[in-house]
Amino acid sequence: GPPVAVAGASHAVYSWCRRGTGVGITTAWTCPGRPAATQDSRAMRLGCGPLSGTRGSQSAARLCSRPSPGVASGLPAAQTTYSAAAPFVAGGLSGRRRLRHLRYAIGAVATARAGALAAAVASARVRRRSTPVEAVEEPVCPPPVLYDQRWVQLAYLALLALLSDLVCFSVAATPRTWIAVYGQDPASLIDIFLFTNVAACLLEPMAVQRFGLRLPIIGAALLMAVGCALRSGVPFLSEQLPVYWVAVVGTMLVAMAQPFFQCTPPLLSATWFAPSERALATAVAINFNQVGIATAFLVGGELARTEAGMKDYFGFITVASVIIAVGAFIQFREAPPTPPSASANEKANRALATAEEAPPFFETAGQLLRTPGFIPPLTAFVTSIAVTNVIGAFMERKLERVGIEDQGTIDLAGAGFELAIVIGGIVLGSVVDKNKEYKNVTLGCLIATLVMVIFFGQGQAPHLVVLIALLGIGAFAGPVQPINAELAVEVTFPADENAIEAVQQLCGNLFSALLVPLCEAVAHIEFTLPAWPDAFRGTTTTNTVEGDTVLLLAIISVVFAYFLTFDAPLKRTLVDEDCVLQVENRGENDEDSSALQKKISQELKALSEAGEDERWDASDAR
């Protein structure tokens, strides 16, 4: 509509317009003795919902109305020009319809509260971190609105990852029972699982590109539930375990589902979480499968000592997988109503603007490998997977070598190692979220891992030292994976987060598959270390290290030296910071201005969740 004068503000007004899926807000203000200026003061992507007292028409909401500098320049400094595309009439629209069609002006909120709110806005001095450009050229910045649903999304992805590795290592702690039932080596079952997993990693990116996040995750959860049912039979009713080939097919189905839980954490973090939460969310989702391995050793080691116990154990896994699959079908969603960050918003807008079909996975992988700055985080990620896999594979032998032979102690040590990976990822992921020091944190983790591997690999070290070193390897090597998954996303932005993680998982699993037998081959070679005083025993001890430990130390050292060369910009963080406004409030209106911003965010969040009980599709979410 036409510009409307609103008294009480010295800098202008909010002019909103629909730009495809975005909503832009433009301020125009006048300064005595200076020409009017126009720039994006706080461009936002908003959720939808009715605004009290507003009326309009569907066609009016599609108009882009911006205040003219000429009009603004003719106004006194104490007046404000307000012009907004009228929202849709709210009456009769469902929550889903409002989510799709209502884009309203925050200026109307200010108008409805003219006086105190206008005075609060007048007292704010806005300064952008970047050089101002034309308003039409600037990105649309989302409001700081986060949705509690993001924790539900993260919980389901983490639980699904837990169950997948619980199935993979379900009989690792009780191999004798498996051999007694089937007459087969359980290691061969794990090999079948891992090779199937690698093959499925090639298919997962294409499925996510075509169908989004929700449908592949739900489909994989249901596939895993079917696989668990084939392994257990009807839980608690059938008297015997299924025949071997049925158990193998069930295991392969779970292995096919697992990449959808392994490769999607960075995509989930970018879609749902704020920049200050992304590394933490990725760490939880990527490393929570370690909890499944720990559960396999603790729970499986107790329940699966007999065939009847193993059947009940498999039955519990099946029931849990069915419950989580059904819960995911009901509660897991595609995306939030509004993006959680400027980078997520920009990427969504680019995708809608280009409307190009994503290239094949191998072409995407080639592009990623050619991107400057991608190889260092890839090598760090692969090293993390390789080190944790090798330590896990030879942990029991290493502990027995220093005299720790009690099976209960070994099981607890293995569970502690897996849990240390999760806890370390959460702690260090939170640190990186705050300081964005991906490189320094990674280098620190590699150095700490190097030291811990030295102590863990010594054949005559005290028991306590070896156990602490084992936990230290988990706490420092494990977090390198999620931190460098996020770093790879940063340097390749706006590349596909899911494809990035698929490339990293593929390289990590393949390298581990080659490294484990190589370490086994050189493990019998021993190297003698110089004598050193043993403070625990009060003597001088000559230690030896095996060839597999030396090989790990060499790999970690080379990767550390190579990672020192990393020097690439964090493109995604630059986009996020470019849209951050520094508002310096002055005088007695500080509380009013802050309260206004908080109230606006609360109203947007409430209105955006108006369609919470209805099914959303990808277009609604965007």
Side-chain angles (χ1 to χ4, degrees):
V4 180
V6 180
S10 62
H11 83 276
V13 177
Y14 298 101
S15 170
W16 292 77
C17 62
R18 262 183 90 94
R19 299 189 207 151
T21 60
V23 178
I25 181 169
T26 302
T27 63
W29 66 92
T30 58
C31 301
R34 293 174 55 189
T38 302
Q39 72 175 33
D40 274 2
S41 171
R42 192 170 178 84
M44 297 180 177
R45 274 284 302 275
L46 296 182
C48 310
L51 186 64
S52 176
T54 62
R55 291 294 183 268
S57 67
Q58 184 167 346
S59 60
R62 298 185 180 277
L63 299 177
C64 241
S65 178
R66 291 185 176 275
S68 167
V71 175
S73 62
L75 294 174
Q79 288 188 336
T80 296
T81 303
Y82 169 72
S83 175
F88 296 115
V89 178
L93 291 179
S94 66
R96 182 182 179 189
R97 295 279 300 203
R98 288 197 296 271
L99 279 170
R100 297 186 64 182
H101 300 303
L102 290 176
R103 302 290 186 194
Y104 62 94
I106 197 173
V109 179
T111 303
R113 298 169 176 80
L117 301 188
V121 175
S123 68
R125 178 161 54 90
V126 181
R127 176 169 58 88
R128 290 190 64 87
R129 291 185 180 179
S130 61
T131 304
V133 296
E134 290 296 328
V136 178
E137 302 296 332
E138 291 213 32
V140 182
C141 301
V145 179
L146 296 174
Y147 302 88
D148 292 339
Q149 173 67 22
R150 70 191 189 280
W151 301 113
V152 177
Q153 303 282 113
L154 180 61
Y156 275 113
L157 199 60
L159 290 174
L160 290 167
L162 182 157
L163 281 175
S164 65
D165 259 0
L166 173 58
V167 172
C168 178
F169 295 94
S170 56
V171 295
T174 55
R176 294 182 181 87
T177 306
W178 182 265
I179 294 173
V181 174
Y182 290 113
Q184 300 287 336
D185 185 355
S188 63
L189 189 68
I190 296 176
D191 290 339
I192 292 172
F193 185 100
L194 295 178
F195 282 112
T196 306
N197 177 283
V198 170
C201 277
L202 301 175
L203 302 176
E204 184 270 346
M206 294 182 286
V208 173
Q209 286 175 357
R210 183 174 181 83
F211 300 106
L213 184 64
R214 171 181 157 81
L215 287 180
I217 291 295
I218 293 174
L222 295 174
L223 184 65
M224 183 168 67
V226 172
C228 291
L230 290 177
R231 285 165 52 93
S232 67
V234 180
F236 314 118
L237 293 180
S238 57
E239 297 181 357
Q240 293 182 336
L241 288 167
V243 297
Y244 182 70
W245 72 267
V246 175
V248 170
V249 171
T251 301
M252 293 178 67
L253 292 181
V254 177
M256 291 175 63
Q258 190 183 59
F260 292 89
F261 318 136
Q262 286 183 327
C263 300
T264 52
L267 175 60
L268 180 81
S269 299
T271 304
W272 282 91
F273 287 84
S276 60
E277 300 172 331
R278 288 190 295 232
L280 169 63
T282 300
V284 172
I286 283 183
N287 286 337
F288 218 72
N289 65 313
Q290 308 297 332
V291 180
I293 300 175
T295 304
F297 279 95
L298 294 178
V299 178
E302 290 297 323
L303 293 182
R305 297 182 184 276
T306 64
E307 180 178 356
M310 179 173 285
K311 188 181 183 311
D312 290 340
Y313 172 44
F314 285 1
F316 284 124
I317 296 175
T318 299
V319 171
S321 64
V322 170
I323 291 174
I324 295 176
V326 172
F329 179 79
I330 296 172
Q331 294 184 297
F332 198 86
R333 294 176 179 168
E334 176 69 28
T338 57
S341 63
S343 56
N345 180 61
E346 178 175 319
K347 186 171 181 180
N349 285 340
R350 287 189 182 190
L352 291 174
T354 58
E356 294 179 356
E357 186 175 348
F361 172 66
F362 287 105
E363 182 178 340
T364 301
Q367 293 172 353
L368 291 173
L369 293 173
R370 292 190 297 270
T371 301
F374 179 74
I375 300 298
L378 175 63
T379 56
F381 186 97
V382 169
T383 302
S384 173
I385 288 185
V387 169
T388 53
N389 284 347
V390 169
I391 294 297
F394 301 107
M395 177 189 64
E396 184 172 353
R397 194 187 71 190
K398 294 289 186 184
L399 294 177
E400 290 176 348
R401 184 168 178 255
V402 298
I404 301 176
E405 299 179 348
D406 178 68
Q407 190 60 44
T409 302
I410 293 174
D411 290 344
L412 288 174
F417 171 70
E418 305 297 344
L419 293 176
I421 294 176
V422 178
I423 296 172
I426 292 174
V427 173
L428 294 179
S430 300
V431 171
V432 171
D433 276 330
K434 293 178 181 179
N435 60 22
K436 303 299 180 184
E437 294 289 343
Y438 295 93
K439 179 178 180 178
N440 292 334
V441 173
T442 298
L443 291 174
C445 287
L446 291 174
I447 283 291
T449 301
L450 187 73
V451 173
M452 295 300 171
V453 169
I454 292 175
F455 282 105
F456 182 70
Q458 293 183 13
Q460 288 75 36
H463 294 180
L464 182 61
V465 172
V466 173
L467 292 174
I468 292 176
L470 176 64
L471 298 179
I473 293 172
F476 291 108
V480 173
Q481 290 183 52
I483 290 173
N484 282 272
E486 286 294 304
L487 179 57
V489 174
E490 289 279 353
V491 300
T492 59
F493 180 83
D496 180 14
E497 298 91 350
N498 182 73
I500 292 169
E501 183 61 15
V503 170
Q504 290 184 321
Q505 290 286 351
L506 270 173
C507 293
N509 291 334
L510 289 174
F511 184 69
S512 295
L514 297 173
L515 185 62
V516 169
L518 180 59
C519 285
E520 187 173 9
V522 300
H524 68 280
I525 304 174
E526 289 193 351
F527 298 87
T528 302
L529 298 178
W532 59 285
D534 189 340
F536 290 89
R537 298 168 181 160
T539 61
T540 300
T541 302
T542 300
N543 269 300
T544 60
V545 294
E546 296 178 325
D548 57 336
T549 300
V550 174
L551 181 58
L552 284 184
L553 293 175
I555 292 172
I556 297 171
S557 300
V558 170
V559 172
F560 175 84
Y562 176 64
F563 202 85
L564 286 171
T565 66
F566 174 79
D567 185 22
L570 306 181
K571 298 177 183 178
R572 184 174 63 173
T573 296
L574 291 175
V575 172
D576 290 327
E577 291 182 348
D578 184 58
C579 287
V580 173
L581 298 178
Q582 296 181 339
V583 181
E584 300 175 1
N585 297 318
R586 296 175 295 176
E588 60 183 6
N589 291 320
D590 285 0
E591 294 184 1
D592 293 336
S593 179
S594 178
L596 169 60
Q597 294 178 10
K598 183 176 180 181
K599 179 65 176 176
I600 288 168
S601 293
Q602 290 174 346
E603 289 186 3
L604 294 176
K605 182 175 180 179
L607 294 172
S608 297
E609 293 175 345
E612 186 173 4
D613 295 331
E614 300 186 39
R615 183 177 299 176
W616 296 349
D617 57 31
S619 61
D620 294 335
R622 289 197 181 99

